[in-house]
């Protein structure tokens, strides 16, 4: 996630190593001021979307691999779906919100999360498997505990090169099963003193995510009409269920949706697969919230409902 300073070296080495399928989530365009650290790109690509420029460079380097691009900003609304297609996630972003969204989504999906961060002259890399061990929030419970982004604080250009390369090293170790990943540990590199130090992260029983009383709720329970439109345009499967009563359907419905009226919902729930990602909607978003609760009680945990209901969806279409 991110094809910037950390993503550039990580992607180049993973492509060169022959990792068969790489996904790149990156919404930005190449800027001249990026090039001191974002070595995937050249001056001729300034103004181009980074994701497509990155794919071109990586497939030129290794035509045998598949590179999928997601030119979107990773965030709470799309991260679960983005990571669902991949086995291992490298966090190469530099903003607080994206970091927490990616990390928490990996925790929920129990997928390896490779953390990397740089701040002026210091860089950090860590690996969290999200099993019994600690998570990143055990160390940094909230955003105030993480460094500023590169664009805000400035960074020595070579530093993300070092940290992104270390992230790729950890990814290759995990993918190919050699060596000992930095599991539950954070390596800190201080470029000014040329010092590397590794610290074990202690599992924090008061951690807001993996602690005994987690304060971070699993995931937003609803989706906006705008996010739904983007989500429907993507290839990943989403089961859309209309919980309005059948006499309400004259005003139209979301293409491809099933109609399971709320009054009969109990009889329909057992027909669905608990692993499916489900979106519920009604006319205004009130009944769908109740329906989502019924699904959760029945053991479904990939269920959300549409904010503002079909009305909001229809308004967006016109
Ligand atoms: Zn934790």
């Amino acid at each position: 996630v991110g094809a910037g300073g950390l993503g550039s070296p990580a992607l180049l080495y993973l492509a060169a190593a022959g990792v068969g399928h790489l996904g790149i989530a990156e919404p930005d365009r190449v800027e001249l001021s990026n090039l001191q650290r974002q070595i995937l790109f050249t001056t001729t690509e300034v103004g181009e979307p980074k994701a497509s420029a990155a794919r071109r460079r990586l497939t030129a380097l290794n035509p045998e691999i598949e590179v999928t691009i997601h030119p979107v900003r990773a965030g709470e609304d799309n991260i679960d779906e983005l990571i669902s297609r991949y086995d291992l996630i490298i966090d190469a972003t530099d903003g607080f919100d994206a970091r927490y969204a990616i990390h928490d989504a990996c925790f929920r999906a129990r997928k390896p999360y490779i953390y990397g961060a740089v701040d002026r002259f210091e860089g950090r890399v860590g690996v969290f498997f999200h099993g019994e061990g600690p998570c990143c929030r055990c160390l940094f419970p909230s955003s105030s505990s993480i460094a500023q982004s590169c664009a805000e604080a400035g960074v020595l250009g070579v530093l993300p090169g070092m940290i992104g390369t270390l992230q790729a090293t950890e990814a290759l170790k995990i993918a190919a099963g050699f060596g000992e990943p930095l599991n539950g540990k954070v390596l800190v590199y201080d470029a000014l003193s040329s010092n590397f130090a590794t610290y074990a992260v202690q599992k924090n029983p008061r951690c807001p995510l993996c602690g005994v009383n987690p304060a971070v709720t699993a995931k937003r329970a609803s989706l906006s009409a705008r996010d739904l439109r983007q989500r429907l345009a993507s290839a990943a499967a989403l089961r859309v269920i209309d919980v309005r009563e059948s006499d309400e359907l004259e005003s139209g419905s979301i293409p491809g949706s099933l109609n399971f009226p709320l009054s009969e919902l109990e009889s329909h729930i057992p027909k669905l697969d608990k692993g499916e990602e489900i979106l519920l909607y009604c006319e205004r978003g009130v009944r769908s919230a109740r329906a989502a609760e019924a699904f959760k009680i029945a053991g479904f945990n990939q269920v959300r409902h549409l904010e503002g209901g079909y009305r909001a969806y229809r308004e967006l279409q016109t």
Side-chain angles (χ1 to χ4, degrees):
V1 187
L6 297 169
S8 285
L11 286 164
L12 284 166
Y13 281 112
L14 294 175
V19 172
H21 182 200
L22 294 171
I24 305 171
E26 170 62 68
D28 293 337
R29 289 174 184 272
V30 179
E31 291 176 37
L32 189 63
S33 64
N34 297 156
L35 301 184
Q36 136 268 26
R37 61 187 186 279
Q38 301 186 10
I39 56 165
L40 259 173
F41 312 112
T42 64
T43 49
T44 59
E45 291 160 334
V46 168
E48 243 192 90
K50 285 186 195 174
S52 51
R55 180 170 56 187
R56 194 172 55 235
R57 173 81 192 275
L58 298 171
T59 46
L61 173 63
N62 188 344
E64 309 271 316
I65 61 168
E66 185 187 339
V67 180
T68 303
I69 58 174
H70 308 278
V72 294
R73 190 166 301 284
E76 265 193 15
D77 287 333
N78 59 9
I79 190 64
D80 293 275
E81 188 246 319
L82 276 174
I83 70 164
S84 69
R85 313 177 191 191
Y86 301 96
D87 299 317
L88 185 154
I89 290 83
I90 296 182
D91 182 355
T93 59
D94 64 358
F96 301 145
D97 294 342
R99 264 186 199 295
Y100 281 97
I102 300 161
H103 169 266
D104 295 355
C106 290
F107 177 83
R108 289 192 291 273
R110 297 286 188 254
K111 291 192 176 180
Y113 167 80
I114 302 183
Y115 160 77
V118 288
D119 178 21
R120 285 174 290 185
F121 302 105
E122 190 183 279
R124 290 184 292 268
V125 57
V127 177
F128 296 90
F129 277 104
H130 294 141
E132 293 302 301
C135 78
C136 218
R137 282 191 190 255
C138 291
L139 188 62
F140 305 115
S142 67
S143 58
S144 58
S145 42
I146 295 192
Q148 289 169 283
S149 80
C150 292
E152 286 162 19
V155 67
L156 180 68
V158 72
L159 187 61
M162 306 265 312
I163 299 300
T165 303
L166 286 166
Q167 288 181 286
T169 311
E170 294 303 309
L172 290 173
K173 281 158 66 181
I174 296 166
F178 64 91
E180 210 178 296
L182 270 174
N183 185 15
K185 293 177 189 160
V186 172
L187 182 157
V188 180
Y189 169 56
D190 179 352
L192 292 179
S193 62
S194 303
N195 185 45
F196 282 92
T198 303
Y199 303 94
V201 177
Q202 298 301 319
K203 191 167 172 75
N204 176 4
R206 294 189 1 227
C207 172
L209 186 66
C210 75
V212 282
N213 276 317
V216 177
T217 51
K219 173 181 187 177
R220 269 182 60 195
S222 61
L223 196 65
S224 69
R226 195 168 296 278
D227 289 331
L228 174 65
R229 190 166 62 171
Q230 194 177 47
R231 180 67 178 73
L232 290 172
S234 76
L238 177 69
R239 174 77 72 188
V240 182
I241 299 174
D242 184 345
V243 299
R244 293 175 299 173
E245 302 302 315
S246 41
D247 60 355
E248 292 177 88
L249 306 183
E250 282 162 20
S251 61
S253 54
I254 297 175
S257 58
L258 298 173
N259 179 222
F260 290 171
L262 188 64
S263 59
E264 303 164 14
L265 198 60
E266 302 282 283
S267 64
H268 291 296
I269 289 179
K271 296 178 197 163
L272 296 161
D273 177 358
K274 289 195 173 109
E276 274 185 306
E277 194 177 346
I278 293 170
L279 180 92
L280 303 163
Y281 74 97
C282 60
E283 188 63 24
R284 290 165 181 258
V286 177
R287 283 171 291 168
S288 58
R290 277 167 52 204
E293 284 306 309
F295 271 93
K296 288 207 176 107
I297 290 164
F300 288 75
N301 55 18
Q302 296 232 75
V303 178
R304 285 188 284 179
H305 78 104
L306 179 62
E307 288 162 21
Y310 184 67
R311 187 168 292 223
Y313 173 85
R314 195 177 46 214
E315 272 167 21
L316 203 64
Q317 306 299 309
T318 52

